[in-house]
Amino acid sequence: MAVLILISPKRTFVLPLLLLTAASFLTVPKTATALSTKYYDKTCPSLQSVVRSAMARAVATDPRAGASVLRLFFHDCFVNGCDASVLLDDTSTTSTTGGEKSAGPNANSLRGYEIIDAVKAAVEASCPATVSCADALALAARDAVALLGGPSWTVRLGRADARPGAGQAAANANLPGPGSSLASMVAAFAAKGLSPRDVTALSGAHTVGRARCATFRARVNGGDGNVNATFAAQLARSCPGGGGADGALAAMDAETPDAFDNGYFRALVQRRGLLHSDQELFNGGSQDALVRKYAANGALFFSDFAKAMVRMGNLAPAAGTPLEVRINCRKPN
């Protein structure tokens, strides 16, 4: 009887071919340590242009799309590596404990899932059952930044998709929150092998996008001392301390909310950071000098941001994580 050998990071399975579905034949990409710029050169040579075109359509339709996809990538990679687990909907096995989408930093906050659905659909139409959702998200995040006027970088490919995801508890434990201190952010990044400089550079992603009132209410209603008084008063009018406006949005960088530039750092120097965690980068601590450099030198920020995105994009799932190439990014095959 013919068999197919499937290899996971820890075990080898021998399965009868007659019992395999079509999804079982999907090639599982290499581990993150073996990511390659040529991974899809033969199997999907049009991949980069397909993703870029899909993202260009999304950004043209909704200026917030780029920031949303960029944030999805960060929230994915910081929870058990870049494995597209944040894209998974809850299933019968996660409905009780909760999946990553229902974690505190993600619920009612992350958006853009339908954008990645569209990107993946375009990729599937061009190269069926070939490209992982994790790779599609990595490329989409890079293109989102470039389309908004930011830097570009070479994305190494060959990631795989987790089945199932890490879950709500892991996301709550790993993702820094809007009230995080500088020390806690540095520690969280260090646990991923990322430096304090990476903390500051990657935080620059907040130069685009919006945040909900619930995430900055305390800061603008007397909770922080390191905030520009005029800035706080303006925001408090639409985000009062008494509550009731949790969903009201404010731009992370009020100066140029939909342009990827160094305006975020200029705002920090003026103590106009929207979130407590933002202003922690410029609050008499170790990152003050770097924030000033980025505020004065956009090219330096762009260079450091691109390098940090590559390092973050190399974060791999833990050994033993079941992996596959998903057809639908919202559910296992």
Side-chain angles (χ1 to χ4, degrees), residues 44 52 55 78 97 107 118 122 130-131 156 169-170 185 191 221 227 243-244 246 289 309:
C44 191
R52 175 78 178 211
M55 280 306 302
F78 247 64
T97 58
T130 301
V131 179
R156 293 182 177 273
M185 288 189 290
N221 285 280
V227 60
D246 282 3
M309 286 293 287

Side-chain angles (χ1 to χ4, degrees), residues 119-190:
V119 169
K120 185 64 158 77
V123 171
E124 285 295 313
S126 182
C127 310
T130 301
V131 179
S132 68
C133 296
D135 277 341
L137 179 56
L139 288 170
R142 186 270 312 273
D143 292 342
V145 171
L147 286 163
L148 294 177
S152 187
W153 56 90
T154 299
V155 177
R156 293 182 177 273
L157 301 166
R159 297 167 187 79
D161 303 324
R163 54 165 301 143
Q168 181 184 118
N172 284 331
N174 282 272
L175 292 168
S180 296
S181 67
L182 176 58
S184 65
M185 288 189 290
V186 167
F189 277 64

Side-chain angles (χ1 to χ4, degrees), residues 29-110:
K30 302 173 183 178
T31 63
T33 55
L35 298 181
S36 168
T37 58
K38 301 180 182 299
Y39 191 81
Y40 296 107
D41 280 5
K42 292 182 179 179
T43 58
C44 191
S46 62
L47 174 60
Q48 305 256 355
S49 61
V50 169
V51 174
R52 175 78 178 211
S53 294
M55 280 306 302
R57 289 192 293 271
V59 171
T61 301
D62 176 10
R64 295 177 61 195
S68 298
V69 167
L70 178 57
R71 189 160 177 253
L72 275 176
F73 185 55
F74 175 85
H75 282 231
D76 179 46
C77 292
F78 247 64
V79 183
N80 198 37
C82 308
D83 60 2
S85 54
V86 75
L87 304 177
L88 288 167
D89 290 337
D90 275 358
T91 66
S92 58
T93 58
T94 60
S95 58
T96 302
T97 58
E100 288 179 43
K101 283 184 177 179
S102 57
N106 297 336
N108 301 313
S109 179
L110 280 188

